[in-house]
Structure formats: structure tokens, C-alpha cells
Amino acid sequence: KAGVTQTPRYLIKTRGQQVTLSCSPISGHRSVSWYQQTPGQGLQFLFEYFSETQRNKGNFPGRFSGRQFSNSRSEMNVSTLELGDSALYLCASSLGAGKETQYFGPGTRLLVL
Amino acid sequence: GENVEQHPSTLSVQEGDSAVIKCTYSDSASNYFPWYKQELGKRPQLIIDIRSNVGEKKDQRIAVTLNKTAKHFSLHITETQPEDSAVYFCAAWATGNQFYFGTGTSLTVIP
């Protein structure tokens, strides 16, 4: 099976712009979670989607949003970008929701100038 | 919510020695603990996990131990090799229905 894929792999944006990141889970996986990874902070949970519904949301401002489509692909959107949003954004898919083994994508590295 | 602390943040060992990374958690209801390895520029990959009904799990040179009473779990790598050099993350599945990750341990195996 193909692994989790994310597009684009790299992005450069300026403050105030918005960005949309995409994640395609492993075939058959219905849950997609998003994380922000920054040096020294580890992985911070953004949100989880299962069957097109947001199951849980981390402690991030409303500028961060997401959605999941019927084919389980997920998108994450960040509006009004700030310098501090520069990070590696990882998505992870799992077969079901909850404490299932997660498989990570390669990430999208976002740089905000 | 859950709080996962990971130590040490950096670890250097000689090739062939053992490496131990420890994580503590705060939520006694946490019941699933995976460990991930992330090589430079690559995605985190699951290397081993343990559920709360088990005290120890081994997979070749890698083992994880769980002490529910003390609320800590540890990753043990024996006979380390240069290719073990990476950042290792622990995580805990908590009642908030999400994974909480440690801040990572950068392991360097010196040939």
C-alpha cells in the first residue's frame, strides 16, 4: 500500500496570506490527524478528522482549520499567516479513530516571511 | 490535559552500548504509548508501542517498559548502531482523545 502523502512539500508565504495543505491517507484509513512540529516543541496536535467529522481539536487559534472529504483526504488551512506559523506540518492516518497506530506523512515545511 | 515529559533531550552513546530514553506522563487514564523514530528530513516512523495491560514489549534490539504506578515508560535500545542515530519521540494516548508527544530525544551513536 502507498504511504501517507502530503502536498506541497515546501511552501514559502508572507505574513497575512493564507495557505492550504493537503494530506492523502493510506488507502482504507478513515482517520487523519494533523500536527505542527517546531524545534524544541515537539509535535503539537492540531485536529483529528474521522469520517468527515472533526473529532477533536488541539489548542490552536481559529486561524487553523481543516476538513475531510468523503475519500478520507484531508486539507488544513491557515489564514492570516504569522511568522510563528513557520513549522513542519505533519499529517498522520490511522485505520480508525482513537488510540490506533498512526502513520505519518513526510510533512509540509511552511516558511512564513 | 495530559503532560508528557521526555528525557534526556540529547544522548550520545558509543556504538555497541545501550541507550535508554524515559518519558513520564500525568494522566493515569492514558493507556497506549507509541515510540517514533524520526531521521533527519524524514517522517516519524513507529518503532514500537505498548498498551497499558502489558509491562514490557521487545522487538529485536528495541524494548519498551511501562510502569503504570509511577506513570513512566522507557525505550531501551541495545547494541546501538550508527543507523540508530535519529530523534526519538514518545507519545501517550490520553482521555482527551488525542496523542500527546514528548519533545524528543536526539540520539547520536558514535562509531
Side-chain angles (χ1 to χ4, degrees):
Chain A
K1 279 186 181 177
V4 180
T5 58
Q6 291 185 245
T7 56
R9 294 292 312 278
Y10 304 93
L11 266 179
I12 299 176
K13 293 285 187 179
T14 56
R15 280 180 299 173
Q17 287 187 308
Q18 75 165 28
V19 67
T20 299
L21 313 182
S22 179
C23 173
S24 292
I26 292 171
S27 177
H29 284 197
R30 296 170 64 193
S31 174
V32 173
S33 297
W34 287 89
Y35 297 89
Q36 180 192 67
Q37 185 176 27
T38 54
Q41 289 291 317
L43 282 79
Q44 303 289 313
F45 173 75
L46 281 154
F47 25 68
E48 179 192 12
Y49 286 88
F50 178 75
S51 292
E52 302 178 65
T53 301
Q54 187 181 90
R55 285 191 75 241
N56 201 6
K57 191 178 193 302
N59 191 25
F60 278 82
R63 299 185 297 107
F64 292 81
S65 62
R67 58 178 175 168
Q68 186 180 35
F69 302 94
S70 58
N71 61 357
S72 295
R73 188 177 70 86
S74 178
E75 286 182 348
M76 187 191 103
N77 185 76
V78 188
S79 62
T80 320
L81 284 166
E82 300 177 0
L83 296 179
D85 297 333
S86 296
L88 179 67
Y89 290 88
L90 292 160
C91 76
S93 78
S94 57
L95 202 57
K99 51 180 178 182
E100 297 268 346
T101 300
Q102 293 193 326
Y103 299 87
F104 282 87
T108 294
R109 186 163 296 280
L110 172 65
L111 176 62
V112 182
L113 301 174
Chain B
E2 174 65 281
N3 181 42
V4 177
E5 294 191 356
Q6 184 172 346
H7 298 282
S9 57
T10 59
L11 179 60
S12 291
V13 300
Q14 292 289 336
E15 182 178 358
D17 286 351
S18 294
V20 181
I21 303 169
K22 182 177 176 179
C23 287
T24 60
Y25 60 98
S26 59
D27 186 348
S28 57
S30 291
N31 53 19
Y32 174 54
F33 308 92
W35 283 90
Y36 290 87
K37 174 184 180 182
Q38 187 176 26
E39 296 176 69
L40 192 62
K42 297 193 175 180
R43 71 188 74 190
Q45 296 214 309
L46 179 75
I47 55 172
I48 197 166
D49 57 8
I50 192 167
R51 297 188 186 267
S52 58
N53 57 346
V54 177
E56 183 176 5
K57 184 177 178 180
K58 286 184 181 179
D59 183 3
Q60 299 183 337
R61 297 186 297 110
I62 294 173
V64 56
T65 58
L66 171 65
N67 184 325
K68 287 188 293 183
T69 303
K71 289 188 281 188
H72 67 72
F73 56 110
S74 299
L75 177 70
H76 304 254
I77 306 174
T78 59
E79 299 172 23
T80 53
Q81 301 166 3
E83 51 265 39
D84 294 329
S85 295
V87 178
Y88 292 81
F89 292 96
C90 64
W93 175 261
T95 50
N97 288 323
Q98 63 175 270
F99 281 103
Y100 291 84
F101 283 79
T103 50
T105 296
S106 178
L107 173 65
T108 302
V109 179
I110 304 165

